[in-house]
Amino acid sequence: SMTLEHGAHRIGKRIDSKMSRWRNYGFGQFIHWGLYAIPGGHWNGEYYGGAAEWIRSWKGMPNEDYDNLYTEFDPVDFDPKAWAEQAKDMGARYMIITTKHHDGFCLWPSEFTDYDVTNAPYGQDIIGPLVEAYDAEGIDVYLYFSVMDWNHPGYRSKLETAEDREAYEGFKEFTRNQLLELLERYPSTKGLWFDGTWDAAWKEQAEFADNLAMEMREMIPGLIIGSRFRPDDYGNRHFDSNGDLMGDYEQGWERKLPDTYEDTKGNDWDCVMTVPENQWGYHSDWRGHVKTSYELIEMLVKSVSLDGNFVMNFGPNGQGEIRKEERQLAKEIGEWMHKNQKAIYDCGYIDWEKQDWGYYTRNRESGEVYMIVFNKPINGALRIKTPAKINLDKIFDLNGPQKTYRPEEIHRNEYFIHLDEALLETPKVIVIQYSEATNQTKGYDKAKT
Ligand SMILES: Cc1ccc([C@@H]2N[C@@H](C)[C@@H](O)[C@H]2O)cc1
């Protein structure tokens, strides 16, 4: 492997308690909120088909029109307590909030720019009340921060001239100042979710980013930072030039999921997911496929079954309201989570062969295994194949009248359990308590006393 000054500084997973807490979340909420919620995907009566939070990049909306939206930002219906209660009812255990998206508008009063909430009609800090409300509900808060900042005069996507480089030094100092300011103002935050770090200019900043990450981790010990922040000595991101993960978990699964455990390379990871195909910020006219609660529950279950966290996105509107489609999804997912959270929280991967009926998860503390059934076979027989020397001690429904199942052995380490209900109304969880058969032979004598 190559010697890197600014590559991965740790091989393998963090095992400290703060990272274990992150690993066991299972389910999180993303909130994309900012000036883009005001136009909501339209301008001058024109429909914008791209991602609503990118409308500034659309030729249908002049940059100065976008940049002046802050003069209209006055979300009178913003109710952080209501948002936090809804997230609690949904079963989210952490939340990621956009403090500053690519447009550079800051939802907190920043000392280092005038382009923030204090200079909008609303005039008050948004991030503080959100952190407070979510902390009060016991939901951990993470801060999304876009390094790319279309508002800052020193921002560059690439460094071509001496002027570029000089301007970018100022931009780097600004970026550091804002990040330290955020950690100073909101010390209960558990981590940062970085975005906007793909630019060539940023990929040259291995040393700066490494030092800044160390500085932030000194400010808040145990701070959790994903793989999307630092470039290594050769500008490689997410994985350094030796293929080692550049952060505490992999942030590569945006609007997509790994298919197998091998795809995860055995790392920690999160999947961040939009409800429509590709809208993070509020778009008033969702077109194309809008995911149902069952689709989102299956993505959540699949993520946990492969040792990841699933983070579902919400895009509040310009008045600070959560749209009705998202409220309905939160309600439906919450109903399922209320009954089945044991199969999600503190659970992860188990190396039993995946079957067509659905997914296995395993509680990392108790070792209890959960079958989460999405697809009932025609014959009602759920196949279970285990590694050798596994005893299936007890199998029963997580919910309802505690029905138990007697596994029918059909081959060595292969069984059927037979569902009797006609139709599955919702994804069904069945509990398996198992033990590893020790390799003692039969007739083992009790110890002589
Ligand atoms: C090409 C591209 C750039 C940035 C994004 C941002 N990452 C997501 C988490 C959103 O913030 C989206 O605007 C998405 C696609």
Side-chain angles (χ1 to χ4, degrees):
S1 66
M2 309 167 80
T3 303
L4 297 168
E5 292 300 312
H6 305 293
H9 294 310
R10 185 200 67 257
I11 307 297
K13 295 181 173 177
R14 271 175 56 173
I15 52 172
D16 57 287
S17 61
K18 291 188 173 179
M19 193 67 202
S20 297
R21 182 181 172 93
W22 182 94
R23 184 171 295 126
N24 283 329
Y25 285 144
F27 190 25
Q29 176 190 39
F30 219 143
I31 300 177
H32 274 75
W33 197 34
L35 299 182
Y36 39 77
I38 297 169
H42 295 82
W43 193 250
N44 283 341
E46 296 283 308
Y47 167 83
Y48 169 56
E53 72 284 355
W54 274 75
I55 194 168
R56 187 179 186 277
S57 67
W58 174 44
K59 62 176 177 17
M61 182 172 193
N63 285 351
E64 54 273 13
D65 288 357
Y66 185 93
D67 296 343
N68 284 319
L69 287 171
Y70 79 95
T71 62
E72 298 173 41
F73 188 70
D74 190 15
V76 292
D77 298 331
F78 172 50
D79 182 351
K81 287 197 184 64
W83 291 12
E85 282 160 20
Q86 176 186 265
K88 187 72 177 180
D89 288 349
M90 181 173 80
R93 292 222 282 188
Y94 70 121
M95 184 274 279
I96 305 168
I97 174 69
T98 48
T99 60
K100 180 180 86 170
H101 204 257
H102 310 330
D103 61 7
F105 183 68
C106 303
L107 294 188
W108 81 96
S110 175
E111 228 181 286
F112 304 100
T113 178
D114 292 335
Y115 199 48
D116 72 25
V117 278
T118 52
N119 296 311
Y122 187 69
Q124 307 159 66
D125 183 7
I126 295 268
I127 300 300
L130 269 174
V131 171
E132 202 177 320
Y134 276 76
D135 281 352
E137 290 289 347
I139 301 174
D140 288 350
V141 175
Y142 291 70
L143 305 180
Y144 167 109
F145 183 91
S146 174
V147 171
M148 178 167 77
D149 181 328
W150 296 325
N151 183 266
H152 191 277
Y155 165 73
R156 295 288 185 283
S157 61
K158 51 187 181 298
L159 303 173
E160 289 173 319
T161 66
E163 191 278 335
D164 285 341
R165 292 185 180 281
E166 188 185 346
Y168 202 69
E169 284 310 303
F171 175 68
K172 286 158 61 177
E173 185 185 353
F174 162 76
T175 299
R176 173 175 173 275
N177 286 335
Q178 285 205 317
L179 285 167
L180 299 185
E181 174 179 59
L182 282 167
L183 298 186
E184 191 80 42
R185 291 180 60 90
Y186 313 112
S188 71
T189 190
K190 306 295 182 299
L192 294 158
W193 205 95
F194 283 99
D195 203 1
T197 54
W198 51 77
D199 287 324
W202 182 255
K203 286 162 75 170
E204 293 182 34
Q205 310 304 327
E207 180 180 17
F208 172 76
D210 199 4
N211 292 339
L212 180 50
M214 279 188 271
E215 199 173 6
M216 293 191 285
R217 291 180 191 278
E218 274 155 29
M219 270 186 82
I220 301 189
L223 194 69
I224 293 172
I225 301 175
S227 63
R228 207 182 281 197
F229 182 47
R230 295 198 296 118
D232 82 347
D233 311 51
Y234 296 90
N236 290 315
R237 299 169 53 247
H238 291 286
F239 294 90
D240 70 16
S241 306
N242 293 323
D244 295 315
L245 187 65
M246 295 276 300
D248 299 324
Y249 64 93
E250 200 210 329
Q251 274 180 275
W253 305 100
E254 178 172 320
R255 293 193 305 116
K256 57 180 189 266
L257 280 164
D259 198 37
T260 65
Y261 187 70
E262 289 62 39
D263 291 343
T264 73
K265 303 186 180 77
N267 293 314
D268 287 307
W269 57 278
D270 70 355
C271 165
V272 292
M273 187 57 73
T274 51
V275 172
E277 187 185 1
N278 187 14
Q279 294 294 339
W280 297 92
Y282 176 76
H283 198 304
S284 59
D285 180 0
W286 277 356
R287 293 188 185 172
H289 180 66
V290 177
K291 296 176 189 70
T292 65
S293 50
Y294 288 146
E295 282 177 80
L296 292 159
I297 290 167
E298 180 160 3
M299 291 179 177
L300 165 63
V301 167
K302 181 169 186 180
S303 298
V304 173
S305 79
L306 295 174
D307 262 359
N309 286 328
F310 185 70
V311 187
M312 174 183 164
N313 184 68
F314 286 69
N317 68 18
Q319 293 72 39
E321 292 163 321
I322 307 278
R323 69 198 297 152
K324 66 178 177 348
E325 299 94 326
E326 292 174 353
R327 291 203 307 273
Q328 181 58 25
L329 286 170
K331 179 174 171 293
E332 291 168 7
I333 293 168
E335 281 160 6
W336 188 84
M337 282 295 285
H338 280 152
K339 296 196 194 81
N340 299 290
Q341 65 189 49
K342 272 190 82 175
I344 299 294
Y345 295 156
D346 311 330
C347 287
Y349 173 72
I350 183 169
D351 64 347
W352 294 7
E353 183 187 280
K354 164 109 176 53
Q355 303 298 331
D356 292 342
W357 43 258
Y359 307 84
Y360 293 112
T361 62
R362 177 178 177 276
N363 183 291
R364 295 189 176 107
E365 293 305 307
S366 68
E368 203 164 67
V369 167
Y370 304 98
M371 300 167 69
I372 302 138
V373 185
F374 288 84
N375 314 307
K376 177 178 179 262
I378 294 287
N379 62 7
L382 303 182
R383 186 186 304 277
I384 300 171
K385 284 177 76 172
T386 70
K389 297 187 176 169
I390 294 287
N391 291 333
L392 302 181
D393 300 328
K394 195 176 174 209
I395 304 177
F396 55 95
D397 282 350
L398 177 64
N399 293 300
Q402 291 292 307
K403 173 178 178 356
T404 57
Y405 300 86
R406 291 190 50 70
E408 176 201 354
E409 186 163 5
I410 53 178
H411 296 301
R412 196 162 174 67
N413 305 314
E414 188 167 350
Y415 312 84
F416 274 151
I417 61 170
H418 296 279
L419 285 182
D420 50 24
E421 64 251 72
L423 188 68
L424 291 185
E425 298 288 334
T426 68
K428 179 187 179 68
V429 178
I430 296 170
V431 186
I432 300 178
Q433 292 171 349
Y434 76 96
S435 49
E436 321 247 347
T438 55
N439 55 6
Q440 290 164 345
T441 53
K442 292 230 180 298
Y444 175 74
D445 290 329
K446 293 250 180 297
K448 305 252 182 288
T449 56

